[in-house]
């Protein structure tokens, strides 16, 4: 664990995302965000190359990547929505539907599996009241999923809460983690 | 490719010499060896993903995908060695583990490459004991239905839409064993060439809505023909079941349509099955038109025409042979000929040079013009008072009977009796495009043969036969027994057709002597990006 | 150093020297530690001379394949009139491997420097660092380091005032193990699905954006700086066993071991001492049962094999496995092997891109069978089927993900067949020793 980092990274305002899911889509790439995309485009010789970063921006701004979001990105990058959707569905980190305010990913691949990751998952499901993997808790706060190797095997069990990476999670530390989430 | 270096290799014990850069799979074809494959298609970029075409190359550590491996001098390739067969058996078993094995209800059955290769070299049984994955069938819009459970993810359809249609409408969605072909909600397969994905699909995953449940593959009779629906002249296979045209599919011709045809042409075949036809030769008597025999009708028509000026309203659907014989009729009395053509929007297939659904929607516009018929919007505008109007294949749609009134007499040589031709004194019923043999000339001046796909109804006869007999009865011309004889006569009479014959045309066609030297090229298979 | 633990005296810390020093992450801190001296030196050299130094050092790719780095760099033909690209593979996703994560989160400037040196050496003006999407913290530090380096004129239009252009861009992945495969990474970077490409053409001929490209692992690129500063000979001499394996290597250790972490040792270090001495041996009351020494894709070693192994490219092969990415997964006697293997198979099935038939179907089929055996529903024929599927999955696909899934299954059945048979015969797995305090 690196204490100087916990909470040090900016997490997007996921609270607004629930609203976004029910409201008419408003374009993401306007004003400063459009400038951000324009700057990104200078990094690559093709527009298509900015697709993954552009989708990240949509997810940061809206909490998930809706079909309207895909259409918007497709328009800016001169792609078809079908193409964009093919890419979105390939990568596991783009949410194709709204998720809880805190999206919790637990690594359960073998190295963590042999260090008790399953127990961490169970504890998270119990304490968040999500109950089931991939299901958002009734209060809209938590979605817990199992993910493949998070690349921190020596710090079993790593857990990601939104953009925050937490090492060495144990079932015992779960209540403490949840308690500090606003 | 004239200067390409020739590479010599051995495939299955046979010596093969091919230009440098040829793939093993294509080289094997030249030696008559078909290497089983799914994802490879000569009209699409190479994907190399189905792993079916793995062959053993001597001295190589691993089996090579023959679709993506180019030939090398002295290479020794084994297609049917134990190692290659074992690998293909493995692929076939894996392709079937999640497959529903529903051949009895599958439209593709009988023309399915998964079936064919499994019978040829697959396992007798499967070792798969787990639940099969399931995804519901989906309407892709246009003429296309997707049945994901039968899909083998060869991605031919995706590559066609991306790299040939230049409109990425399909994608591979998800990944791993969850992968399936997907599209975007609301963006349908409405591209004018989209239905080619159905032909490209080697299995029963992409199906034509139009053809759905119409026939089992083995019930079809297949005929080499030309799509009559525009001036491009795409080479097709016309498929009939019980004398009904039920499907048209593209027949490869790298000079015309590569491997493709447009949706409009493909689906526009029902008129060939038209039920209300002129089926008997008729001559006008006291009580109107009455059926008679061919001899009487031909002589009646000859009498009407003899010494008169004939004005011929022809259809650009007629063959070169029939149009040529019509010009003989014209010349007999110093008459003239005209035709009109239905127009629509041009719809190119961007991935193939000079291939489009053309604006002019008839097969033989170029041929008609070449043979001296005048293209006009006002079909009967040139009809002189007292002329004999010969309606040849024209339906006179939208033309008022009063326009016909100017004619001194009317002869109908058509498959359907047009309403406006009410005062016709002779009706000679002829076969339609699907019922006779002949040639048409496409917009680039390429002459192409089409053959008879279905039996003509009643006493209907082929147009070239009727016209030949008519000229014979008028004493202008020896009768013909075969359309090839008419064509031979055409070739000696018209310098544009000089030197051409049915034999030299074959089923790939040849350009007219004075045709501009152009033609589409097959999209060149390139390595994956 | 064995981060998060204090450096072990038997480690040789070249790349991991500054792990745990928060100050090393900043430009000033990095400069204080001698940072960017190597880049300065490099920019004063001819690219071909840099390549020669790296060739002489014997440095081999640290991502898994072990291809000689200098040779790879020499494939990039100068003056071919085409733009060249350098890709840094920071998509570290191999289960058991987390060394690049530590390198980037503690010494991000080392990677910026390594990228700049590498780019210059291969005639590239642009380097892309492709970081896996889950690495939010390394991404943060890398983005900050790149920003600092641009602001200080170290990289950019006029790198270190030499008039040479070197751009470094950080590109975030979005959750796909396969993007660690070099051609899949390039596809992904271009904005496509991460499908590996057919080779040839190789990246040096047609890589990212269809242009000549070199792709190197994080650790490989970072190693270039000390090699340039100290000379190829210095690096080459760091070798305890086979002269073909030179320098130091980071090993990330995880699983059932006292001190998991990232350790840096000279190539050829005895594996037994590494496991028992540096990593502290098994957990209390437990015994080691097996080791997967190079990330999930390499064959499982029994302890007899592991204990006789010397830690370099050739040593691991001699020990029945491979060095791979240096991700050491230690499994003790409390772990049922079938469960471990089932979970690995599931990983590969989840991560298969799905292009090739054998991989798409084989990884999923394998998973279903192994999980069925794990759940006590297996038959003895399943073992033969598994081995046969594994054979079909080996050497027949575009990339080696399929092979990687077959590896633990085959080595698992071969080396721990008893555990499979016991489950098939209805006997549940019982840990060998019960004496856990």
């Amino acid at each position: 664990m690196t204490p100087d980092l916990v909470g040090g990274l900016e997490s997007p305002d996921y609270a607004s995302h629930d609203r976004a899911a029910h409201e008419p889509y408003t374009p993401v790439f306007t004003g400063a965000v459009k400038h951000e995309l324009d700057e990104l485009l200078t990094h690559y010789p093709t527009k298509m190359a900015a697709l993954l970063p552009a989708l990240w921006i949509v997810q940061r701004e809206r909490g998930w990547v809706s079909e309207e979001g895909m259409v918007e990105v497709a328009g800016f990058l001169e792609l078809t929505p079908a193409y964009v959707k093919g890419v979105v569905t390939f990568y596991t980190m783009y949410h194709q539907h709204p998720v809880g305010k805190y999206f919790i990913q637990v690594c359960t691949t073998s190295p963590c599996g042999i260090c008790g990751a399953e127990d961490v998952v169970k504890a998270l499901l119990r304490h968040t009241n999500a109950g089931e993997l991939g299901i958002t808790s009734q209060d809209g706060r938590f979605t817990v999923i199992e993910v493949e190797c998070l690349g921190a095997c020596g710090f079993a069990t790593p857990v990601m809460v939104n953009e925050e990476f937490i090492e060495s999670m144990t079932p015992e530390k779960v209540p403490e983690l949840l308690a500090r989430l606003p | 490719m004239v200067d390409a270096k020739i590479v010599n290799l051995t495939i299955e014990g046979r010596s093969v010499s091919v230009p440098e850069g040829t793939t093993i799979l294509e080289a094997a074809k030249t030696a008559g060896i078909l290497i089983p494959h799914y994802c490879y298609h000569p009209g699409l970029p190479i994907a190399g993903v189905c792993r079916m075409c793995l062959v053993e190359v001597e001295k190589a550590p691993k089996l090579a995908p023959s679709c993506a491996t180019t030939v090398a001098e002295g290479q020794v390739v084994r297609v049917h060695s134990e190692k290659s067969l074992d690998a293909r058996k493995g692929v076939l078993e894996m392709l079937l583990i999640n497959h529903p094995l529903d051949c009895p209800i599958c439209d593709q059955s009988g023309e399915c490459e998964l079936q064919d290769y499994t019978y040829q070299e697959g396992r007798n049984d499967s070792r798969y004991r787990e639940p099969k994955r399931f995804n519901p069938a989906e309407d892709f819009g246009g003429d296309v239905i997707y049945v994901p459970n039968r899909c083998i993810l060869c991605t031919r359809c995706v590559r066609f839409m991306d790299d040939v249609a230049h409109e990425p409408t399909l994608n591979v969605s998800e990944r791993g064993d969850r992968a399936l072909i997907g599209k975007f909600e609301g963006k349908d397969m409405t591209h004018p060439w989209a239905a080619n994905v159905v032909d490209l699909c080697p299995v029963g995953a992409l199906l034509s809505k139009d053809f759905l449940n119409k026939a089992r593959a083995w019930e079809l009779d297949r005929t080499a023909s030309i799509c009559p629906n525009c001036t491009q002249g795409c080479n097709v296979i016309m498929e009939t079941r019980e004398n009904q045209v039920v499907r048209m599919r593209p027949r490869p011709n790298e000079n015309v349509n590569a491997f493709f045809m447009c949706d409009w042409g493909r689906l526009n075949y029902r008129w060939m099955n038209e039920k209300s036809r002129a089926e008997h030769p008729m001559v006008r008597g006291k009580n109107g038109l009455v059926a008679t025999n061919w001899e009487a009708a031909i002589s009646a028509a000859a009498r009407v025409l003899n010494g008169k000026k004939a004005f011929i309203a022809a259809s650009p659907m007629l063959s070169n042979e029939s149009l040529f014989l019509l010009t003989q009729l014209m010349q007999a009395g110093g008459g003239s000929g005209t035709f009109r053509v239905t127009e629509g929007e041009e719809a190119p297939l961007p991935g193939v040079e000079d291939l489009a659904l053309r604006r002019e929607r008839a097969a033989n516009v170029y041929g008609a013009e070449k043979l001296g018929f005048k293209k006009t919007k006002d079909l009967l505008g040139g009809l002189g008072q007292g002329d004999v109007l010969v309606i040849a294949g024209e339906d006179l749609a939208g033309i008022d009977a009063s326009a016909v009134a100017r004619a001194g007499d009317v002869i109908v040589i058509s498959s359907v009796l047009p309403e406006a031709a009410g005062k016709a004194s002779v009706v000679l019923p002829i076969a339609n495009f699907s019922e006779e043999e002949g040639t048409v000339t496409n917009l680039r001046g390429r002459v192409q043969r089409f053959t008879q796909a279905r039996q003509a109804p009643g006493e209907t006869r082929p147009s070239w036969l009727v016209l030949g007999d008519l000229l014979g009865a008028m004493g202008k011309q020896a009768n013909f027994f075969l359309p090839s004889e008419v064509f031979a006569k055409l070739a000696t009479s018209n310098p544009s057709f000089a030197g051409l014959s049915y034999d030299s045309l074959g089923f790939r066609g040849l350009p007219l002597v004075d045709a501009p030297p152009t033609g589409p090229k097959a999209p060149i298979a390139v390595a994956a990006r | 150093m064995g981060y998060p633990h204090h450096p072990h005296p038997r480690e040789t810390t070249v790349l991991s020297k500054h792990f745990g020093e928060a100050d090393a992450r900043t430009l000033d801190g990095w400069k204080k530690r001698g940072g960017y001296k190597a880049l300065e030196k490099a920019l004063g050299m001819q690219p071909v001379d840099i390549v020669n130094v790296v060739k002489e050092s014997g440095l081999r790719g640290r991502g898994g394949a072990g291809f000689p780095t200098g040779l790879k760099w020499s494939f990039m033909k100068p003056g071919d009139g085409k733009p060249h690209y350098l890709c840094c593979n920071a998509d570290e996703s191999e289960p058991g491997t987390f060394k690049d994560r530590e390198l980037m989160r503690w010494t991000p400037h080392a990677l910026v420097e390594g990228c700049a040196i590498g780019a210059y050496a291969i005639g590239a003006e642009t380097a892309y660092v492709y970081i896996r999407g889950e690495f939010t913290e390394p991404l943060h530090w890398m983005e900050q380091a790149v920003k600092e380096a641009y602001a200080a004129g170290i990289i950019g239009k006029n790198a270190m005032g030499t008039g040479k252009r070197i751009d470094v861009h950080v590109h975030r992945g979005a959750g796909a193990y396969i993007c660690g495969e070099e051609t899949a990474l390039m596809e992904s970077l271009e904005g496509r699905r991460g499908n590996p490409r057919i080779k040839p053409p190789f990246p040096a001929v047609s890589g990212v954006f269809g242009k000549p490209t070199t792709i190197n692992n994080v650790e490989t690129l970072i190693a270039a700086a000390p090699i340039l500063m100290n000379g190829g000979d210095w690096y080459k001499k760091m070798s305890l066993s086979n002269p073909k394996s030179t320098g130091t290597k980071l090993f990330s250790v995880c699983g059932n071991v006292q001190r998991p972490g990232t350790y840096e040792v000279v190539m050829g270090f005895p594996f037994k001492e590494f496991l028992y001495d540096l990593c502290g041996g098994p957990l209390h009351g437990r015994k080691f049962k097996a080791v997967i020494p190079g990330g999930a894709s390499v064959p499982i070693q029994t302890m007899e094999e592991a204990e006789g192994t010397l830690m370099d490219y050739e040593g691991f092969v001699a020990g029945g496995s491979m060095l791979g990415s240096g991700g050491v997964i230690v499994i003790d006697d409390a772990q049922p092997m079938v469960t471990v293997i089932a979970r690995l198979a599931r990983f590969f099935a989840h991560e298969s891109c799905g292009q090739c038939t054998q991989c798409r179907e084989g990884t999923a089929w394998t998973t279903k069978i192994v999980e069925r055996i794990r759940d006590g529903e297996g038959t003895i024929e399943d073992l033969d089927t598994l081995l046969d599927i594994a054979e079909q999955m080996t050497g027949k696909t575009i990339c080696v993900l399929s092979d990687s899934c077959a590896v633990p299954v085959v080595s698992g059945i071969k080396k721990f067949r008893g555990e499979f048979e016991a489950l098939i015969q209805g006997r549940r797995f019982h840990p060998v020793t019960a004496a856990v305090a």
Side-chain angles (χ1 to χ4, degrees), chain C residues 125-393:
Chain C
E125 290 191 339
T126 310
Y128 294 106
V129 181
Y130 186 102
I131 301 189
R132 63 176 300 190
E134 293 86 346
F135 277 180
T136 48
E137 192 199 332
L139 176 77
H140 169 81
W141 294 119
M142 281 306 299
E143 281 180 338
Q144 182 168 303
V146 165
K147 213 162 149 187
E148 282 182 319
Y150 266 112
I154 292 167
I155 53 174
K157 263 183 275 187
N158 181 12
M160 297 192 112
T162 58
K164 288 157 185 145
R165 180 172 193 130
I166 300 173
D167 281 315
V168 178
H169 300 301
V170 179
H171 188 97
R172 185 183 183 188
Y177 162 78
I178 192 57
C179 291
E181 197 277 343
E182 59 180 17
T183 57
L185 184 148
M186 292 174 196
E187 287 282 297
S188 180
L189 186 54
E190 289 179 14
R192 304 176 197 277
R193 294 165 60 86
N195 292 338
R197 300 173 181 172
I198 300 173
K199 289 187 271 191
F202 290 95
V205 175
S206 176
V208 74
F209 306 116
K211 298 295 185 290
T213 303
T214 293
I215 178 159
N216 290 125
N217 174 256
V218 171
E219 187 183 347
T220 313
L221 285 172
I222 292 183
I227 289 172
L228 274 193
M229 291 310 286
N230 301 307
D233 197 47
W234 162 80
Y235 197 76
K236 200 165 130 187
K237 280 184 181 147
M238 289 194 283
S239 175
L240 297 174
S241 171
N242 195 304
K244 284 184 191 160
S245 295
T246 62
T248 60
K249 173 83 191 87
L250 291 180
F251 287 92
S252 45
V253 183
C254 64
N256 310 129
V257 62
Q258 285 287 351
R259 285 201 301 265
T262 305
Y263 297 85
E264 186 172 8
V265 293
V266 172
M267 283 284 193
F269 197 90
F271 201 23
K272 183 176 183 180
E273 291 165 39
F274 180 84
L275 290 171
Y276 288 94
D277 195 0
L278 275 65
C279 306
L283 299 174
H284 181 66
R286 291 281 162 217
K287 279 196 267 181
F288 288 153
K289 178 159 78 179
V291 183
I292 307 177
S297 302
V298 307
I300 304 171
Q301 285 187 309
T302 61
M303 281 325 287
E304 295 74 60
E305 287 172 325
E307 288 175 3
T309 295
L310 295 173
M311 300 171 75
D312 60 18
Y313 293 104
E314 297 73 20
F316 278 112
V317 171
S321 189
M322 285 191 296
L323 171 68
S325 57
V328 180
I329 307 169
V330 187
I331 301 157
D332 74 15
D333 55 2
Q335 305 304 327
M337 283 310 285
V338 179
T339 305
V340 173
I341 292 163
R343 195 61 193 75
L344 282 178
R346 172 161 286 270
F347 169 81
F348 288 111
H350 183 262
E351 298 300 335
S352 164
C353 81
Q355 278 193 110
C356 301
T357 306
Q358 293 94 332
C359 182
R360 177 179 69 245
E361 305 296 342
T363 52
W365 189 5
T366 299
T367 306
K368 286 174 182 172
I369 298 179
V370 183
E371 287 184 349
R372 193 157 45 73
I373 296 174
R374 177 200 66 194
D375 297 341
E377 304 284 327
T379 67
I380 209 76
E381 292 76 36
D382 283 335
L383 297 183
D384 290 338
T385 306
L386 277 175
L387 291 173
D388 200 48
I389 299 170
E391 175 59 32
Q392 291 299 341
M393 289 167 65

Side-chain angles (χ1 to χ4, degrees), chain B residues 436-466:
Chain B
E436 63 176 33
E437 186 176 355
T439 62
V440 283
T441 311
N442 85 347
L443 81 164
R444 299 289 176 244
R446 192 177 189 84
V447 184
Q448 310 193 90
R449 289 176 64 189
F450 62 92
T451 52
Q452 182 181 358
R454 63 191 294 262
Q455 207 69 44
E459 293 176 79
T460 312
R461 286 182 178 176
S463 53
W464 58 267
L465 181 62
V466 171

Side-chain angles (χ1 to χ4, degrees), chain B residues 127-128 130 172 174, chain C residues 193 351 368 372 388 396:
Chain B
R127 295 170 294 183
Y128 190 71
E130 327 299 326
V172 178
E174 309 296 330
Chain C
R193 294 165 60 86
E351 298 300 335
K368 286 174 182 172
R372 193 157 45 73
D388 200 48
K396 297 186 177 62

Side-chain angles (χ1 to χ4, degrees), chain B residues 417-498:
Chain B
L417 188 60
E419 238 175 87
K423 67 181 271 193
S425 53
V426 185
V427 175
L428 305 175
I430 53 168
N432 73 19
F433 192 89
S434 64
E435 297 158 357
E436 63 176 33
E437 186 176 355
T439 62
V440 283
T441 311
N442 85 347
L443 81 164
R444 299 289 176 244
R446 192 177 189 84
V447 184
Q448 310 193 90
R449 289 176 64 189
F450 62 92
T451 52
Q452 182 181 358
R454 63 191 294 262
Q455 207 69 44
E459 293 176 79
T460 312
R461 286 182 178 176
S463 53
W464 58 267
L465 181 62
V466 171
L467 290 165
D469 286 355
L470 178 56
L471 284 165
M474 290 166 72
K476 305 290 178 201
Q477 183 83 46
N479 297 21
F480 297 101
F481 294 97
L482 290 168
S484 56
E485 291 170 3
V486 186
F487 190 81
K489 178 78 182 164
L490 165 63
T492 54
S493 328
N494 188 320
S496 294
F497 289 82

Side-chain angles (χ1 to χ4, degrees), chain B residues 12 42 145 149 167 213 254 387 459 496 509:
Chain B
E12 277 298 290
I145 289 178
N149 299 334
E167 190 177 290
N213 301 333
E254 62 186 7
D387 287 356
E459 293 176 79
S496 294

Side-chain angles (χ1 to χ4, degrees), chain B residues 10-44:
Chain B
T10 310
I11 304 178
E12 277 298 290
R14 290 177 219 180
S15 303
V16 181
S17 300
V18 288
E20 197 176 20
T22 308
T23 61
I24 293 177
L25 194 146
E26 285 294 342
K29 274 190 197 168
T30 68
I33 299 160
L34 177 67
I35 302 176
H37 59 271
Y38 290 114
C39 69
Y40 174 77
H41 188 283
L44 301 172

